[in-house]
Each structure stands twice: as C-alpha cells, then as structure tokens.
Amino acid sequence: MSDEFLHLQKAEEIADKLGLANQGKNSFIELCKQGCDSSFLAEHFYFITHNSTTTVTPKNKKRKAYKVSLRSLDSVELALGGFNKRQIKALQKKIKELAEDINKLNSIQLIRCIDVEELTPYAVTPDLPPLLSYYADKFIPFLLEKAKRVGDRQRPLFNLFMNSICSHVKEQTKRQQFKLICDVLNELGINWDVDALKQWYSRHKSESSETI
C-alpha cells in the first residue's frame, strides 16, 4: 500500500474518532489530501470544541479539590484560581497594610537593642516590607491588567488553537481553506459560516503564542 493510501486511511479513522460524518468528514479528509497532518488537525479541533471542566479530588484529604480544564485561560474562575478581581484588590490592600505594620515592628526599641550577631539569621526581615510593597504596588496591578485578557469573552486558548489550524492549513495547502474548516467546525458544534471565520481570522491571525 502506498504512503498516500495509508495517510488517507489514517485521516478517515481520525475523522470517525472525532465524530465527523457527511460533509465535515469529507472536508477533513480533503484537507489531509492537500497535505495537512490529520493528527495535528484532530488535536486542535478537539481542543477548540471541548472545554469541559473536571473537579479533581486529591488523595491527601488536607488538600482542597480543584478544577481543571483543557482551556483554563478561557475561564476567569480557573485562570484566577478561584479569586475574583475584587478579592485580588482587597488582598493588595491587606499586603500594603501588612508591609506598613512590619516596618513599624522593625523600628521598635527592642529590635534596635538586640546584638547584631543575634539578628544575622534574620537578615531578611528588613527586606520584607519593601518586597511586599513592590508586590502590592507593581505586581498585582500587572496581574490585574493581564486578567483582562482571559475568560470566556477573550478566549485566548480558543484563539490560539483556532489560529494554529488556519496557519497549518494555509502552510500545507498554500491557500486558506475557510470553507473546508467551517464544514468541520459546524459538525463539531461551532456554527460559523465562511464570512464569520474570515472576520475572526482578520482579527486574530497575529496571535500565534500562548503568552497573554
């Protein structure tokens, strides 16, 4: 059997595993005929059409259960580990207050009178307030700015995988194949027509990294 026959046979098997039939299956196989990698396409189509959340219960009963998802950055709750933006801002205020209290404590007469050699093991103590202040004043605002790019409206990982599909198809077939891609998407539950995909691609085609 030729390599081309085996390649298309594999594409058909993968299309069946994805649950494709009719036009979606035919279009998936056509993409593979034109040079696309069936495993690459299957993996990426799966990631953009499946985002179920699973709760994991650790064997260690002292650890809390936590949620995982294939596209964790596409959920504000998962991306922020259960925090919301209001809670993070409240924590920022607590950290600043704590830094101020530690500064006051470090200035008490008792500490000034303790022998320097006795204080040596605790040399980190003077550095703690400025580090906490930096975390509150610099890092948390940076984090909150990044948080604007996650969630079900921004969908950074959906965009990443969808863009990877379009880039792979263009690279392998030497042109965009929006109609074929839409046929597959429609059978997997994403009801986009060619115009919708073109509009999405024009907005997101530069997003080729998972970095947010």
Side-chain angles (χ1 to χ4, degrees):
M1 290 183 287
S2 67
D3 290 343
E4 182 180 0
F5 176 84
L6 293 174
H7 175 66
L8 295 179
Q9 185 181 50
K10 180 183 177 182
E12 186 169 355
E13 291 172 355
I14 289 178
D16 290 337
K17 289 179 180 179
L18 276 175
L20 295 172
N22 306 320
Q23 190 58 45
K25 180 177 180 179
N26 292 336
S27 294
F28 183 89
I29 293 173
E30 180 59 32
L31 288 170
C32 297
K33 278 183 181 179
Q34 296 188 37
C36 293
D37 185 310
S38 57
S39 296
F40 178 93
L41 289 180
E43 177 183 320
H44 285 69
F45 276 122
Y46 184 85
F47 273 108
I48 65 174
T49 55
H50 293 76
N51 194 30
S52 57
T53 300
T54 302
T55 300
V56 177
T57 304
K59 292 181 179 179
N60 186 341
K61 294 183 179 180
K62 293 182 179 180
R63 295 181 60 192
K64 293 183 179 180
Y66 58 94
K67 295 179 180 180
V68 295
S69 169
L70 292 175
R71 302 201 318 267
S72 57
L73 293 183
D74 293 358
S75 160
V76 172
E77 178 188 3
L78 296 180
L80 298 184
F83 284 92
N84 59 45
K85 293 176 185 178
R86 181 178 297 179
Q87 289 172 322
I88 293 175
K89 289 179 180 178
L91 181 60
Q92 179 186 32
K93 182 179 178 182
K94 287 181 182 179
I95 293 172
K96 293 175 75 170
E97 291 172 349
L98 180 61
E100 291 173 4
D101 288 342
I102 294 175
N103 254 331
K104 291 177 183 177
L105 185 62
N106 285 344
S107 301
I108 65 174
Q109 194 63 35
L110 174 60
I111 292 179
R112 292 179 180 178
C113 294
I114 297 174
D115 187 89
V116 174
E117 290 186 1
E118 287 187 84
L119 288 174
T120 300
Y122 311 103
V124 70
T125 306
D127 298 330
L128 186 56
L131 287 173
L132 289 172
S133 295
Y134 182 86
Y135 192 94
D137 295 334
K138 300 295 184 181
F139 182 71
I140 287 185
F142 166 79
L143 191 63
L144 290 171
E145 187 64 29
K146 288 292 186 180
K148 295 177 181 178
R149 305 182 189 181
V150 302
D152 57 1
R153 293 184 65 182
Q154 300 297 334
R155 299 192 301 177
L157 292 185
F158 173 93
N159 292 336
L160 172 71
F161 291 120
M162 189 70 244
N163 193 53
S164 294
I165 290 172
C166 293
S167 297
H168 175 75
V169 168
K170 183 178 181 180
E171 180 180 341
Q172 297 302 317
T173 69
K174 309 306 179 188
R175 62 191 183 94
Q176 291 294 0
Q177 302 280 1
F178 292 128
K179 174 63 169 64
L180 297 178
I181 293 173
C182 282
D183 289 341
V184 178
L185 290 175
N186 288 335
E187 286 201 14
L188 294 176
I190 298 178
N191 298 315
W192 281 3
D193 58 22
V194 172
D195 288 338
L197 181 53
K198 284 181 178 179
Q199 290 174 12
W200 176 90
Y201 187 70
S202 67
R203 294 195 303 269
H204 300 283
K205 60 184 177 182
S206 62
E207 297 174 14
S208 58
S209 170
E210 190 172 341
T211 303
I212 60 170

